[in-house]
Amino acid sequence: MSSPPIIALHGNLGAAHDWERLNIPGVDAVDLWAFSDLPLDEFAMFLTEEIVDSDDRPNIAGYSLGGRLALQTLASFPDRWGGAVILSAHPGLTDEAEKEARRTADGEWAEKARTLLWEEFLQEWNDQPMLSDSPVSKEQQAVESHREAVAMAFEYWSLGTQSDLREPLQEFEGPVLWITGERDQKFHRFGEEMSEVFGSFEHVVLPGHGHRCLTPDAAAVIRDWQTQF
């Protein structure tokens, strides 16, 4: 018996290929840059109503930004999805001042995505402490053709525009696999916290990994998780 399909969402400055190259059975990766002009709730509705077959209850997966979009979708349509794989994702800020500060910061990133030389923008993005263990990649360089869509993602999908999803996510009854990197302490704490939100929950920590944990090691964990259902 084959496992349910996985609708997979990539991270910021990523691409659908980030998922496709991992050879996870049943993955249908979405190009987020085609939809970044949709607010969070509208994207969740579009993904559920237009991309997913109405007769299916597929799994949803997301890394980082894609993980937040996946959580938004689960919170909005908990009965339409069978299970979830979440990597390095934030369930939402709880403080309004922090949300405002994040919206301001993401507005600045949007302006940089539109105006800086792309190589300069990528270097500044990758110099952030959470991401500084990874150099600029060829894949990120290729995203330059979507620079306006990237800018809109900072605006429409800012963490500052996202609600705290912890309470609505309690309505989701399917199995959840949460993956974080050992060196990503902030997001590791979120993984520990979400064990109180989901009824069927497994948190896997990848040794030696940081925030960027959408890797072959994560793929092996996901393939093993798939065999359970």
Side-chain angles (χ1 to χ4, degrees):
M1 181 178 177
S2 60
S3 57
I6 298 178
I7 306 300
L9 312 177
H10 60 77
N12 205 349
L13 299 183
H17 176 68
D18 297 345
W19 280 100
E20 295 166 347
R21 64 183 172 80
L22 295 177
N23 297 317
I24 300 170
V27 161
D28 185 2
V30 176
D31 175 15
L32 293 179
W33 306 129
F35 307 106
S36 62
D37 58 342
L38 298 177
L40 286 166
D41 55 346
E42 292 184 23
F43 173 80
M45 178 178 291
F46 183 85
L47 185 69
T48 304
E49 300 293 342
E50 301 296 333
I51 294 181
V52 176
D53 190 303
S54 61
D55 294 328
D56 288 340
R57 289 184 73 245
N59 296 324
I60 190 169
Y63 159 69
S64 196
L65 168 63
R68 289 200 292 109
L69 293 171
L71 293 175
Q72 179 72 48
T73 304
L74 289 178
S76 301
F77 301 95
D79 297 330
R80 293 288 301 276
W81 299 88
V85 178
I86 307 296
L87 302 92
S88 301
H90 200 309
L93 296 169
T94 59
D95 182 81
E96 289 302 320
E98 289 185 7
K99 289 184 179 182
E100 182 177 356
R102 181 58 182 259
R103 288 194 295 271
T104 298
D106 282 339
E108 293 171 356
W109 279 115
E111 180 65 15
K112 291 175 181 178
R114 290 187 172 104
T115 61
L116 290 181
L117 293 173
W118 192 248
E119 190 70 25
E120 182 181 349
F121 168 69
L122 291 181
Q123 192 61 61
E124 191 168 336
W125 177 256
N126 284 283
D127 281 346
Q128 295 177 94
M130 186 173 66
L131 305 175
S132 59
D133 60 346
S134 303
V136 173
S137 67
K138 292 181 179 179
E139 289 78 9
Q140 288 178 326
Q141 292 170 339
V143 177
E144 182 176 8
S145 61
H146 302 293
R147 68 158 62 212
E148 177 58 26
V150 170
M152 287 191 292
F154 279 113
E155 295 166 340
Y156 285 104
W157 296 344
S158 168
L159 180 59
T161 68
Q162 178 183 311
S163 300
D164 174 14
L165 299 175
R166 292 165 179 83
E167 183 174 346
L169 283 170
Q170 293 178 25
E171 299 298 318
F172 181 67
E173 297 179 351
V176 176
L177 172 63
W178 199 282
I179 300 175
T180 55
E182 178 186 35
R183 293 186 286 102
D184 188 8
Q185 296 182 5
K186 176 180 178 180
F187 283 80
H188 173 78
R189 290 195 297 271
F190 291 140
E192 295 296 296
E193 178 185 341
M194 298 307 284
S195 66
E196 302 296 322
V197 172
F198 295 110
S200 177
F201 183 80
E202 180 182 1
H203 180 199
V204 174
V205 180
L206 298 180
H209 287 66
H211 185 76
R212 285 177 168 150
C213 63
L214 187 59
T215 65
D217 288 341
V221 172
I222 295 168
R223 286 192 291 267
D224 181 66
W225 180 80
Q226 287 178 299
T227 65
Q228 302 175 38
F229 308 102

